[in-house]
Amino acid sequence: MTKKLSALALLVAASLSGCAAQNATPVAPESAQKVAAPAETGVVKRDLADGLYEMVLSPKGDALYVASAEGFKDVQGGVIYKLDPTTLKTLGRSHTDLKNFALAISPDGSTLYATNSLDGGITALNTADGKVKHRLLFTERNKEGYPYGARQVLLHDGLLYIGGVADPAVIWVVDAQTLKLKKTIRNAGQWVTGLMWSEQTGRIYVANGGGEILIVNPRTNRIEKRWKPLGDKPALLLNMAEDSATGRLFVTDNSKAKTTLVLDIRTGEIIKQLDVGDSLAVKFNPKRHELYITQRESGKLLSLDATTWAVKQRWDLPPNPNSLLLSDDGQTLYVTVKQAFNKDHSTNGPDSVVRISLK
């Protein structure tokens, strides 16, 4: 188990992606839910649970789902939290037998998809009752015999694209209705860390730990191009965002290059390298023409003007701001804030969810 947790520690440091029965836990009383008073105008923080990772909003915008792996020391399974997107109070929770990392949701909001990185799988849950509908565990194993880590998940056109953390890495293509494996895209470099579908080019973009961006044609599910924007310089590319109006692709690195790249989405050429420091999650807001970047090491969230690149605002979110989620109207930003791991894989407190009003 120690080697398995060590592999997970590497995975989350780069990030952050017959069924067992699920239990729908009653919602805790209001008095038991700790929602902090805003430290500054428009900010609400909720200390929630151990092992928080990615988030997704329901299509109607009436629920915020948060994936939790829970603790990594003597704790089995994880939880999917359902929160009020305005108050961050708990509306429900589903206890799962596997740990949860990345999330996606069906267009009708009936099915939630969670990656189970430690076990190399993907789980589909019914949002109505929190029970598992389907699960797929991938068969690939590394040289130590452990499953490839299923990190990021992208839902596009009825298919789930799931990045496998391995060397060489893979991208699994899975039917979203049945969770049947349709295809495995191989030779995806070292560790698939990021996935994004481009509205402008109609292609899927894949970031990896070898400093590459792969372009996948979703009609053939083949890799058409491979870019290495920083050339031979060490880079561990992570998360991506797109400005479809201008054809810009934003790519972060918080490990080696410690930067955010602005690329031409059609050629891969560098338009700008943003020297803002370590960069983890990234979101582009077309409604406000702003770029948001979490900085895990410095404990900050940045808002940048997407034309001048000037820093418009900084939020202090110690110790380690992690994942970002932007509402469809572009007026609300959600952040998971993680605690640092101790040597025994424990932490000194629960991770948090932060809601920021941008109005």
Side-chain angles (χ1 to χ4, degrees):
M1 189 64 170
T2 300
K3 288 184 179 179
K4 203 172 185 182
L5 286 172
S6 297
L8 173 67
L10 174 65
L11 180 107
V12 298
S15 66
L16 1 299
S17 71
C19 299
Q22 305 295 299
N23 298 315
T25 303
V27 177
E30 293 294 310
S31 60
Q33 298 183 13
K34 297 179 180 179
V35 180
E40 54 184 303
T41 303
V43 178
V44 178
K45 181 182 179 183
R46 166 91 188 272
D47 293 336
L48 183 60
D50 292 335
L52 299 186
Y53 288 95
E54 296 202 354
M55 305 163 284
V56 70
L57 281 164
S58 64
K60 294 181 179 179
D62 57 354
L64 173 68
Y65 295 94
V66 185
S68 169
E70 297 298 296
F72 293 110
K73 181 185 179 184
D74 302 323
V75 178
Q76 173 62 34
V79 175
I80 301 291
Y81 290 91
K82 181 181 179 181
L83 306 183
D84 183 295
T86 301
T87 66
L88 301 185
K89 293 181 179 179
T90 301
L91 301 177
R93 59 177 76 87
S94 297
H95 293 263
T96 60
D97 59 318
L98 299 181
K99 296 183 178 299
N100 310 298
F101 293 88
L103 292 179
I105 195 167
S106 61
D108 65 359
S110 66
T111 305
L112 192 69
Y113 303 96
T115 58
N116 309 117
S117 291
L118 279 179
D119 296 275
I122 179 80
T123 298
L125 299 98
N126 188 332
T127 57
D129 57 17
K131 294 182 179 179
V132 167
K133 298 169 68 173
H134 302 288
R135 175 175 289 156
L136 174 61
L137 297 178
F138 302 108
T139 59
E140 286 86 353
R141 296 291 184 271
N142 62 23
K143 61 183 180 181
E144 288 82 21
Y146 295 115
Y148 288 10
R151 189 181 182 272
Q152 291 297 102
V153 57
L154 169 69
L155 175 59
H156 172 66
D157 198 22
L159 295 175
L160 296 165
Y161 292 83
I162 302 150
V165 178
D167 188 10
V170 299
I171 305 158
W172 296 292
V173 185
V174 175
D175 186 290
Q177 288 291 329
T178 64
L179 286 203
K180 301 295 184 182
L181 181 65
K182 302 281 288 185
K183 183 174 181 177
T184 300
I185 303 172
R186 303 191 182 277
N187 299 315
Q190 182 185 44
W191 314 333
V192 169
T193 52
L195 293 167
M196 188 202 78
W197 180 74
S198 166
E199 291 185 8
Q200 184 175 102
T201 67
R203 296 295 188 267
I204 293 170
Y205 290 71
V206 182
N208 70 28
E212 291 182 304
I213 301 292
L214 314 180
I215 296 87
V216 174
N217 185 333
R219 291 188 292 275
T220 62
N221 287 318
R222 292 181 178 178
I223 298 171
E224 292 185 332
K225 298 177 183 178
R226 309 179 81 105
W227 298 337
K228 203 164 186 180
L230 290 176
D232 293 332
K233 295 179 181 178
L236 199 168
L237 303 183
L238 289 172
N239 298 302
M240 295 174 288
E242 175 191 27
D243 176 3
S244 58
T246 64
R248 295 180 298 177
L249 176 68
F250 306 101
V251 189
T252 63
D253 182 331
N254 86 314
S255 176
K256 295 181 178 179
K258 295 187 184 299
T259 188
T260 298
L261 301 175
V262 186
L263 306 180
D264 183 306
I265 202 165
R266 293 188 176 275
T267 67
E269 294 181 2
I270 296 178
I271 298 171
K272 181 76 175 178
Q273 188 166 336
L274 305 180
D275 296 323
V276 295
D278 71 287
S279 304
L280 187 64
V282 61
K283 291 291 180 185
F284 174 71
N285 188 341
K287 303 290 177 61
R288 300 174 59 89
H289 203 64
E290 293 174 340
L291 189 70
Y292 310 110
I293 300 169
T294 56
Q295 296 186 303
R296 186 181 179 93
E297 294 178 10
S298 62
K300 296 184 184 299
L301 167 65
L302 303 182
S303 170
L304 281 71
D305 183 290
T307 298
T308 67
W309 311 117
V311 176
K312 297 177 66 175
Q313 191 165 356
R314 289 183 176 88
W315 293 271
D316 290 319
L317 299 175
N320 302 131
N322 199 69
S323 300
L324 283 174
L325 177 66
L326 183 65
S327 62
D328 287 343
D329 66 2
Q331 301 306 316
T332 306
L333 196 61
Y334 299 92
V335 193
T336 54
V337 179
K338 299 191 63 58
Q339 298 287 330
F341 284 111
N342 298 319
K343 290 184 178 179
D344 64 353
H345 306 295
S346 65
T347 59
N348 296 325
D351 294 346
S352 305
V353 178
V354 176
R355 179 188 188 274
I356 299 174
S357 175
L358 301 171
K359 295 179 182 178

